[in-house]
Structures are given as C-alpha cells and as structure tokens.
Amino acid sequence: MKTAVQLPKNNSFQPQNNKNAKISVHNFNLFYGEKQALFDISLDINEKEITALIGPSGCGKSTFLRSINRMNDLIDNVKVSGEIFIDNENIYRSNDVIKLRTKVGMVFQKPNLFPMSIYDNVAYGPRMHGIKNKKVLNHIVEESLRGAAIWDEVKDRLKSSALGLSGGQQQRVCIARAIAMKPEVILMDEPTSALDPISTLKVEELLSQMKENYTIVIVTHNMQQAARVSDRTAFFLNGEVIEYDTTDTIFSVPKDKRTEEYITGRFG
Amino acid sequence: MSGFMEKSNRRKYFLEKLSGKLFLICAFISVISLALIISFVFFKGFRPFVAEGYNFIQFLLGYDWVPGEGHFGVFPMIVTSLYATIGALIIGVPIGLFTAVFLAEIAPKPIVKILSPAVQLLAGIPSVLFGVFGLAVIVPFLQNYLGLAKGQSLIAVIIVLAIMMLPTIVTVSETAIRSVPQSYREGSLALGVSEMRTIFKVVIPAAKSGIMAAIVLGMGRAIGETMAVILVAGNSLMIPTSLTDSVRPLTTNIALEMGYAAGIHQEMLFATGIVLFSFILILNFILAKISAKGGQ
Ligand SMILES: Nc1ncnc2c1ncn2[C@@H]1O[C@H](COP(=O)(O)OP(=O)(O)OP(=O)(O)O)[C@@H](O)[C@H]1O
Ligand SMILES: [Mg+2]
C-alpha cells in the first residue's frame, strides 16, 4: 500500500493508487518534544469501511488516530511532518480545526459524557454550531440516539443525567453525540475496552451498521474484535506501520513475521 | 530474643496509645477555645436583652446608635455590611473568575508560574496594608476625580473588599477549574467546538460547585473584614443612599468603640458581634451545602 510517489506541496494532490481513499496519509511523522512517536506512516483509508489499528501498547495507535482530527494539537511541543489528506485536502495545511473536527468525529476509550442530561449531551454539538430550533434539535437527538442503537433504552429518561447510565450505555450515547454532528469519519480509540462483553457486542453490531454511512477508524487491543468488525487492518509496531492489508489477509496470511507473531501470540 | 521483641512491641503499643491521646488533647483544646469564645460573646451579647429589658428586634431594626442615650440600633450597619459585600461581589466575582479561567486554561505556562504565586501572595498581605492602600490611593482618587467632599465612602469600601476577596476567588476557582477532567474538554473539542466555548459551556459548568464555594469564601472574607474597612469607610452612622456616602459596617462598629465602651454599651457591641457571627454561620452553612452537592 505504501506510496513511493513524491508529493507536490499543495492541496490539489490526488491519491493515485486508490480512488476510494477517504483519508490518505503520506510520510507522516510525529514528535512529542524530542521523542519521535510515529515514523513515516503512509496509508490510505477507504470510504465507508472499518479500518482497525492494532499493535502492542505504546506503539503509537492512539497518537496516529489523534493525528487524524488534530487532537494532538492540544499537547505542548508536538511537531509533525508529512501530510494527511481527507477528501484530498491537507488537514495540516488549513488551520480550520473546527471544520475538520466537525467532519471527523471521535469516540474515546472511556465514555466522557458531560455532566448534563442525555438530551443535552447529544444536542451539545449541534447547539454549539448554531442550531437553536427545538424541533430540529429533537429530531437530531432522536435520530442520533437511534443511530447509536440506544434510543429505546433512554427515550423515557432523556432529561435525566447522562452519568446515571451504565458504562456501555454511556459509550453508545458518546457515539450518538458524535453522530449528531453528522460527521463523515468517526475515530474510535478502544471504544469497548471499558465495557462488559454484552455491551461490547452491542457496540460491535452498531459498528457494522454504521459502516453504511461512515468511514470508521478503530483502535483495538482485541484481535477477535478487529477480525470480526474491520475490513482492513494496520499493524503498528514502535511507531511504524509494519503491515496494512485487508483484515482477511492480515489474519490468515500475514506477510510480515512480526505481524504473525503478534496475532498468534495474542490468540495463543 | 522473644523477650526483646515483646519489649519493643510493648513500647510501640505505648507510643501508639500516647500519640492517640495527644491528638485527642489537641482536638479538645481547639474545640474548647472555640466554645469558650462563642459562649462568651453570646453571654455578653444577650445579657442586655435577657436581664435589662432591651428589645432584640428593636436592636436589629433600630436606626439610631447613640450609646450615651441608651439607643442601640444596628440596622444601618447591617445594611451597610450587606451593600458592601454585595458590591464587592459584583466587582470581584467576574474579575476573579476570569483571572482563574485565564490562569487555568489560557495562559502560557511561564505566565502562570509568575501570576499564580503573585495572586497567592496577595492573600497573605496583612489586611491593614489593603486599608492603607485604599486610603492613600483609592480615597484620594475618588476625591479628585468624582469630586467627593470626602473620599471615604461605600464605594471605597467596595473596591478595597473586592481586591481583598480576589485571591480567595481566584485560587479556589482555579483549583476547581483545573480539576475538571481533561476528558470533558477533549469531548467538546472533538465535536469541533472552539476552546473558548468549551471553557464556558463545559468546563465552567462542571466546576460550578467549586466556583460557588470560592464565591462564598470570598463573601466570608468581605463581611468579616475590619481593619482595611475602618480606614476607608468614613464611619458615619447612617443607611447609605448612594455609593458615595460615608458608612459604618458591623465590624468597624465593634472595633471603633470596644476600646472605650463599658457596661451596656460594651455588651451591645458583643451583640453586634452576634449578628456578624450569624452571617458567617449562614455562609458556612451554604458552603457546606454546596460542597455536599459537589461531592455527589
Ligand atoms: N502526551 C504525550 N507526551 C509524550 N509522549 C507521549 C504522549 N502521549 C503518548 N506518548 C508516547 O508516544 C508513544 C505512543 O503512545 P500512544 O498512546 O499513541 O500508544 P498506543 O499504541 O495508543 O498505546 P496503548 O495501546 O497503550 O493505548 C508512547 O511511547 C507514549 O509514551
Ligand atoms: Mg492508546
């Protein structure tokens, strides 16, 4: 998948190897101060597919994921080089992170709902972007909660605090909150690692449905999960992408020995 | 060998018991002194109403304070104390809150490193110095620029108190804002909400109970402040009708007259202390309610 093409330094770059690429990463490096955390990452992420990022702890999965919506900008002394294109637009060239993050939603490892009602949590994003009409908001909230397969569980308690829900329910409301912004891409950092098996299953089912409308990038430590839900898998090691291919290939006939070791070690 | 062990164990046990006792004694001393002060003030302050036939309601709502003629009414002072405190809050809370937000969320680290200790130092300045500053700077300023005959006035008190409550409000609400989980900020920013709106819509509401506590603590400081207020209040006995009136709040009434008062007059000053104490008690009660709510 790696592109050896030398990139022109402007926004009009067209990915040449893959017409479906929603996100196209080229020679991307990231430094925390002096310490390099990502090395020369190049890969294309397809539209309306689920792409899983796997690899041992500390290998840079979260760092890479947070590079896609520029959440790393919040950390002092972070430097990047290389390019990330979304819809052929270099996201590090433009300074409109607000527009970027409207287009690219994120779900975090631990549910992080605000201390407000369920309704207010889901309506938060649209409200902050200027939607005031009650009917419109009601519609967005319902649609988003339905989209996150949690509507039936919370429809009678929309006005009560979101923090009273179970962890699994909270995580699905987090997904609803992200969906409410009508993003095109959704980034998920180990969204089920804090959940029990049943909630995990529900979120996984949800992911498969969501694939129809969204491009999803998911970090997971759970091999079975990656194998079950994703279309493509990237294996990270020490800040590098060792192997990136269809999930079937990665899990049945990995080309790199290290990938095989990691996968079988985990299954072992 | 076992004898030695036993001995050392016994010694440990003895020390354990001794230190337990020591803590108990210390706790006892603090509680006793508090109880003594309160009962002394209440005993002295209530005596005229119980033994001398004075009316407590008349004391609270009376307009005249003329000790020589036996008139003891503290209503103007209550009103003044309330006006001064509320006025100081109106100025001090927004400034203090914005400073706290700036320090906790916006300012670059080097600036925080200088500004934060500076604000804390402000809390440690003896209150008389605030009074001196008020007298030397604020009072003349009011005289010269607002054309007051006498710069010592309600507005001077309000300004001095607002400055004095700043450190409390800033440090307590800064702590509250800093303790808002980073995940809330990230959740909001990841939705494409700007940093400023994130602060106002998520961070400050999440720090609400801490900020309320900061305000109540600041109020306590303002209502109880004496030394700085004496210097800038003017000390006239009347209900202020404008910000430029010379005023006398509850605290300064006690401090000004206690030195020479005797008999009923002195006891009425203690009664003034009871009124003041009740205000502080109410504030503490509110504070306890807020912290209990915040802990949920
Ligand atoms: N804010 C930061 N400042 C400095 N170094 C960081 C920071 N965040 C992460 N790192 C370092 O960058 C490397 C990659 O971290 P990252 O969190 O991306 O790994 P990860 O693959 O997500 O790990 P995990 O599976 O444990 O979540 C690690 O060595 C980590 O110590
Ligand atoms: Mg991670």
Side-chain angles (χ1 to χ4, degrees), chain A residues 37-95:
Chain A
L38 294 177
F39 295 83
D40 212 30
I41 310 280
S42 294
L43 49 80
D44 283 353
I45 291 169
N46 286 348
E47 183 157 26
K48 296 187 182 165
E49 278 190 4
I50 298 179
T51 303
L53 311 179
I54 60 170
S57 193
C59 65
K61 306 178 297 290
S62 299
T63 301
F64 177 64
L65 196 73
R66 293 164 60 93
S67 302
I68 301 175
N69 64 347
R70 294 186 56 172
M71 285 302 273
N72 288 326
D73 289 15
L74 304 179
I75 301 165
D76 291 339
N77 294 323
V78 167
K79 283 191 287 293
V80 301
S81 69
E83 291 98 8
I84 296 181
F85 294 89
I86 297 181
D87 293 333
N88 302 326
E89 214 175 303
N90 185 338
I91 62 168
Y92 281 90
R93 182 90 12 120
S94 139
N95 272 325

Side-chain angles (χ1 to χ4, degrees), chain A residues 24 42 58 89 142 189-190 224:
Chain A
S24 194
S42 294
E89 214 175 303
E142 177 170 348
D189 196 349
E190 303 184 45
Q224 290 98 321

Side-chain angles (χ1 to χ4, degrees), chain B residues 81-153:
Chain B
S81 280
L82 290 179
Y83 280 179
T85 305
I86 292 167
L89 286 177
I90 290 173
I91 300 178
V93 169
I95 298 179
L97 188 55
F98 282 120
T99 309
V101 167
F102 177 72
L103 288 176
E105 298 284 322
I106 302 166
K109 272 190 193 124
I111 294 183
V112 176
K113 274 207 184 111
I114 299 168
L115 220 54
S116 236
V119 171
Q120 271 156 23
L121 195 67
L122 205 60
I125 294 176
S127 63
V128 66
L129 292 184
F130 282 100
V132 170
F133 169 77
L135 195 61
V137 178
I138 297 169
V139 167
F141 177 85
L142 293 173
Q143 260 164 352
N144 298 338
Y145 289 89
L146 296 187
L148 304 190
K150 197 172 161 220
Q152 284 152 317
S153 57

Side-chain angles (χ1 to χ4, degrees), chain A residues 66 71 74 76 98 101 108 112-116 124 128-129 177 181, chain B residues 109 183-184 186-194 197-198 201-202 206:
Chain A
R66 293 164 60 93
M71 285 302 273
L74 304 179
D76 291 339
I98 291 189
R101 291 177 190 155
F108 296 81
N112 61 347
L113 292 174
F114 308 128
M116 315 170 179
Y124 176 82
M128 288 300 114
H129 287 84
R177 185 175 68 180
M181 291 301 298
Chain B
K109 272 190 193 124
S183 65
Y184 288 176
E186 292 193 337
S188 172
L189 293 168
L191 290 166
V193 177
S194 71
R197 303 199 85 187
T198 297
K201 298 294 177 178
V202 173

